[in-house]
């Protein structure tokens, strides 16, 4: 029988499907060094249980290199007591995630961070996000909903469009997006 769990290791939290929770500790090992935490999957780990989330950075940790198969990912707020500040270039590129929870500690989302995540259905940005590369969500063709916390001074969502306030750049939209006709959108990203 399968068990959906949110596993927490050294403050790194992400949901994974664990077919046999009792054998979990025998299937994974932790490798630490250079201020990096990696969950490594052993060969006997069932494919649908594999999840790797690397958090790097000595002073300001960031997320990079997601290699898991989990549909719903939770990015941790902190690592070793320091807030996780960003999502690196191509961190989730071409992954099969359906949703991602971005904590209110993330300040930036780099180029192609979620590009070609063709199963990603919802996008919610916290107030903390100050910088998003225009290619961050390129090719996310399944998006159905885009929202932004009201307290975000840099981005807003309207008509299921993600809009950078200062430039008027429409970063990403959904199949059902309606581009605002109030003049606030001046640039449309590819």
């Amino acid at each position: 029988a399968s068990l959906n769990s949110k596993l927490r290791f050294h403050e790194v939290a992400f949901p994974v499907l664990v077919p046999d929770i009792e054998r979990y500790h025998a299937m994974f090992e932790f490798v630490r060094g250079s201020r990096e935490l990696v969950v490594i999957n052993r060969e006997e780990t069932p494919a649908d249980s594999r999840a790797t989330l690397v958090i790097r950075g000595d002073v300001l940790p960031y997320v990079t290199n997601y290699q898991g198969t989990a549909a719903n990912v939770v990015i941790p707020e902190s690592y070793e007591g320091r807030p996780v500040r960003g999502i690196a270039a191509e961190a989730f590129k071409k992954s099969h995630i359906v949703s991602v929870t971005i904590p209110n500690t993330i300040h930036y989302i780099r180029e192609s961070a979620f590009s070609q995540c063709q199963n990603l259905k919802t996008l919610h940005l916290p107030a903390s996000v100050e910088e998003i590369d225009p290619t961050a969500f390129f090719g996310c063709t399944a998006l159905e909903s885009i929202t932004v916390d009201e307290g975000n001074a840099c981005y807003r969502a309207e008509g299921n469009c993600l809009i950078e306030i200062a430039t008027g750049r429409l970063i990403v939209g959904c199949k059902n997006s309606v581009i605002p006709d109030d003049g606030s959108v001046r640039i449309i990203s590819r």
Side-chain angles (χ1 to χ4, degrees):
S2 296
L3 174 66
N4 282 321
S5 289
K6 183 187 285 186
L7 303 174
R8 191 170 280 282
F9 299 100
H10 301 283
E11 297 184 7
V12 176
F14 50 93
V16 295
L17 183 64
V18 182
D20 186 349
I21 195 77
E22 310 311 324
R23 292 184 346 144
Y24 179 78
H25 291 289
M27 295 188 302
F28 291 90
E29 63 184 82
F30 290 96
V31 177
R32 296 189 68 173
S34 302
R35 311 300 280 166
E36 184 175 307
L37 172 66
V38 185
V39 180
I40 294 183
N41 303 289
R42 294 186 179 165
E43 289 180 20
E44 68 270 18
T45 306
D48 65 351
S49 298
R50 296 182 180 176
T52 302
L53 185 64
V54 178
I55 295 184
R56 295 183 177 150
D58 289 334
V59 179
L60 300 175
Y62 59 93
V63 177
T64 186
N65 195 29
Y66 177 74
Q67 299 171 1
T69 58
N72 305 300
V73 175
V74 177
I75 297 174
E77 290 182 7
S78 64
Y79 172 63
E80 292 187 349
R82 294 184 318 274
V84 176
R85 293 291 188 195
I87 302 172
E90 300 184 359
F92 292 89
K93 185 176 182 176
K94 293 185 180 181
S95 71
H96 299 285
I97 61 171
V98 174
S99 71
V100 60
T101 301
I102 301 173
N104 201 32
T105 57
I106 299 293
H107 286 258
Y108 61 86
I109 302 173
R110 297 288 189 237
E111 61 275 359
S112 299
F114 294 93
S115 72
Q116 299 173 21
C117 289
Q118 296 179 352
N119 298 325
L120 184 63
K121 291 186 177 188
T122 61
L123 173 61
H124 176 77
L125 294 177
S128 60
V129 176
E130 300 170 338
E131 179 188 339
I132 301 173
D133 186 88
T135 64
F137 299 98
F138 177 77
C140 294
T141 56
L143 273 173
E144 297 172 356
S145 171
I146 299 173
T147 57
V148 177
D149 276 350
E150 285 184 27
N152 190 309
C154 300
Y155 296 92
R156 69 185 181 98
E158 186 174 330
N160 276 326
C161 297
L162 175 60
I163 303 164
E164 184 177 38
I165 296 169
T167 63
R169 179 186 300 270
L170 191 151
I171 305 278
V172 67
C174 303
K175 292 177 187 178
N176 60 351
S177 290
V178 177
I179 298 173
D181 60 2
D182 60 1
S184 62
V185 174
R186 295 184 297 277
I187 303 167
I188 297 177
S189 295
R190 292 201 242 173

